[in-house]
Amino acid sequence: MSVHKKEIKRITTHVLQAMKARGEKIAMLTGYDYSMARILDAAGIDIILVGDSASNVMAGHETTLPITLDHMIYHASSVIRAVKRALVVVDLPFGHYQGNSKVALESTIRIMKEAGAHAVKLEGGAEIGESIKRILSAGVPVMGHLGLTPQSIYKFGTYTVRAKEEEEAKKLIEDALLLEELGCFAIVLEKIPATLTAEVSAKLTIPTIGIGGGKHADGQVLVTHDMLGITKDFKPRFLRRYLELFETIQGAVGDYIDDVKAGDFPNDDEQY
Ligand code: KIV
């Protein structure tokens, strides 16, 4: 078992920048609730992303689109109460920054004030530049997200690898450079070819965090429920499962049911 308790007391955007500069990889996982966030933080995770993937894994929706700002604030405040060391980044939900930078800032301020978050993440490039600028001007750190951006799933039509063609790859590089120039502190690169991740990561001074983007990113992120095997049928090539918790929990619950039915739980020592 490996627990990464480092000497750093708090992970900040400056700490992440220094990690990139010295070639130290950044580890990020999603978190949506207090109990799991306590475990992730105790293990030494660098960043906890309160992802809008909560819409899928916590609420059972097919896409990330239905989750609301109130839901995100609820999840984020639960995570924040658990965390002593990690940087907590919160996704701005669909509909809260596309096309209206004032709404983007108002939504961000709610996340920062009501949840106590440390930073926000937005999906997209040049088209959301105004929203990014406005949020940054209020002093809130912004993480970008390029490549497969799940809030645009109905535009893409599928969850397959993005930017395989030259034109899309060129636009992604331009967007990445723009996000750095605007002042983003890091960029998630989702499901793009490893060679493109390598190229973008070499061009940027801010860290890239890959998910399905190969080994050349400055850090990696996975959805916690996927890497722990709590979700069952989602098995993309990029996902490494560290546990098969669905079966483990199912087995434990089965044992509990058997014990209750057999009158074996509670026993004499488990009662008052
Ligand atoms: O919402 C999420 O979990 C994400 C990660 C996949 C990066 O955005």
Side-chain angles (χ1 to χ4, degrees), residues 66-226:
I67 201 158
T68 66
L69 182 61
D70 285 335
H71 291 146
M72 290 305 294
I73 290 170
Y74 170 77
H75 288 299
S77 56
S78 307
V79 167
I80 282 286
R81 281 192 287 274
V83 167
K84 293 189 169 67
R85 178 181 176 275
L87 185 85
V88 178
V89 181
V90 181
D91 266 336
L92 270 188
F94 177 68
H96 280 270
Y97 58 95
Q98 295 93 344
N100 190 334
S101 62
K102 189 163 177 284
V103 173
L105 180 57
E106 283 165 2
S107 307
T108 300
I109 288 173
R110 280 200 60 202
I111 289 173
M112 302 302 283
K113 268 186 181 293
E114 294 175 39
H118 306 143
V120 292
K121 176 166 82 58
L122 282 70
E123 295 181 6
E127 65 283 3
I128 57 155
E130 283 310 312
S131 291
I132 292 175
K133 264 196 254 172
R134 201 152 180 170
I135 295 167
L136 285 167
S137 72
V140 178
V142 175
M143 177 180 272
H145 185 156
L146 298 171
L148 177 65
T149 46
Q151 291 180 10
S152 306
I153 185 58
Y154 291 116
K155 183 176 94 182
F156 297 146
T158 71
Y159 286 100
T160 53
V161 181
R162 304 301 315 172
K164 285 207 285 198
E165 306 303 328
E166 203 182 320
E167 201 180 325
E168 195 180 336
K170 190 167 162 274
K171 159 99 169 82
L172 189 142
I173 294 169
E174 283 165 12
D175 279 338
L177 290 168
L178 175 72
L179 295 185
E180 171 166 284
E181 196 186 311
L182 290 177
C184 288
F185 72 89
I187 303 176
V188 167
L189 298 175
E190 181 163 355
K191 241 179 163 184
I192 62 170
T195 48
L196 182 58
T197 301
E199 192 178 342
V200 174
S201 305
K203 279 185 193 296
L204 299 182
T205 58
I206 57 170
T208 57
I209 314 282
I211 173 163
K215 62 184 177 189
H216 301 293
D218 301 305
Q220 298 292 330
V221 56
L222 286 174
V223 169
T224 297
H225 289 61
D226 295 339

Side-chain angles (χ1 to χ4, degrees), residues 29-31 37 40-41 45-50 79 83 86-89:
L29 283 170
T30 61
L40 302 182
D41 197 52
I45 200 76
D46 297 312
I47 308 175
I48 297 181
L49 171 67
V50 183
V79 167
V83 167
L87 185 85
V88 178
V89 181

